Amino acid sequence: MRSTFLIAACSGLLSYTSPGQDCNTYYFLQKDKTIEMTIYDKKGEPNGKQVYTVSNVNNSGGNTTATVNSEMFSKKGKSIAKGHSEIVCNNGVMMVDMKMQLPQAQQEQFSKADVKADKIYIEYPVNMKAGDKLKDATLDMSIDNSGMKQNVHMVTSDRSVVGKESVTTTAGTWDCFKITYKSKITIKTMGIGMPFNIEGTEWFAPGFGIVKTESKHGGTAITAIK
């Protein structure tokens, strides 16, 4: 499950976005904005939430970069994982830190570990259209989990824009691009690999980010914006 993140009319929240737009229109690039995503289990029942708070927004060399602090809560409201990632916008192209794509179980597992990873971004082009094939992305992480050494290798591929759909949640309505993808995650402990595959779908709204995700393991959806 990912806990993971609109050319959109967003229920009054966002205006039409176009190539070369001001990156400051993105919610994930506005300081002190808070985005709450509900996490759902494979039966579609609420199973917790992920809260993102935007901080440290900087503009430099044509790029806008924001630190996104995240905190995951259990179904009972207990804080179970914290972290931070980056989102970058360059002339309307949104680039999301791949660590935000880690499944819920891995985010919780690694929350108290010493994690080392290069900043790898997955791109959402501003001129996206149905039928497009989007760039693959690969993340490698070294984990020291209380002395237990692990390596995580995640490849997200076969990213296809299959159409546009309207998505409505308690936070609003978005006209989104529907993107299917495949992710292969291999976690090695003491040199022994444990791979697993995810086939998922995400609904991306230009000028905002990922509104909703689904896979056979569960999904997420934005349910509040503050």
Side-chain angles (χ1 to χ4, degrees), residues 94-120:
M94 193 171 187
M95 296 178 286
V96 178
D97 192 328
M98 275 197 75
K99 292 195 297 294
M100 295 178 71
Q101 289 202 321
L102 283 170
Q104 179 189 10
Q106 277 63 54
Q107 289 193 40
E108 184 176 352
Q109 178 185 353
F110 302 144
S111 64
K112 297 181 180 179
D114 181 13
V115 178
K116 295 181 180 179
D118 292 333
K119 292 179 181 177
I120 304 297

Side-chain angles (χ1 to χ4, degrees), residues 79-153:
S79 177
I80 55 177
K82 293 183 179 181
H84 64 273
S85 304
E86 280 191 351
I87 290 183
V88 178
C89 176
N90 186 343
N91 291 323
V93 178
M94 193 171 187
M95 296 178 286
V96 178
D97 192 328
M98 275 197 75
K99 292 195 297 294
M100 295 178 71
Q101 289 202 321
L102 283 170
Q104 179 189 10
Q106 277 63 54
Q107 289 193 40
E108 184 176 352
Q109 178 185 353
F110 302 144
S111 64
K112 297 181 180 179
D114 181 13
V115 178
K116 295 181 180 179
D118 292 333
K119 292 179 181 177
I120 304 297
Y121 300 98
I122 191 161
E123 293 187 10
Y124 296 84
V126 70
N127 58 347
M128 189 186 302
K129 61 184 184 300
D132 282 354
K133 302 296 184 182
L134 306 184
K135 291 181 180 179
D136 297 350
T138 301
L139 175 68
D140 286 292
M141 301 170 58
S142 297
I143 312 293
D144 185 343
N145 203 340
S146 299
M148 181 173 64
K149 307 292 186 180
Q150 296 177 300
N151 295 98
V152 178
H153 180 72

Side-chain angles (χ1 to χ4, degrees), residues 170-217:
T170 54
T173 297
W174 293 265
D175 290 332
C176 298
F177 287 104
K178 184 179 179 180
I179 302 169
T180 59
Y181 66 91
K182 294 179 181 179
S183 285
K184 182 177 181 179
I185 303 172
T186 302
I187 301 175
K188 287 188 176 181
T189 304
M190 299 179 65
I192 301 174
M194 298 178 59
F196 61 95
N197 298 307
I198 297 173
E199 293 188 15
T201 303
E202 58 188 13
W203 286 260
F204 175 81
F208 185 81
I210 298 167
V211 172
K212 175 183 173 182
T213 71
E214 282 185 1
S215 77
K216 67 178 182 180
H217 305 287

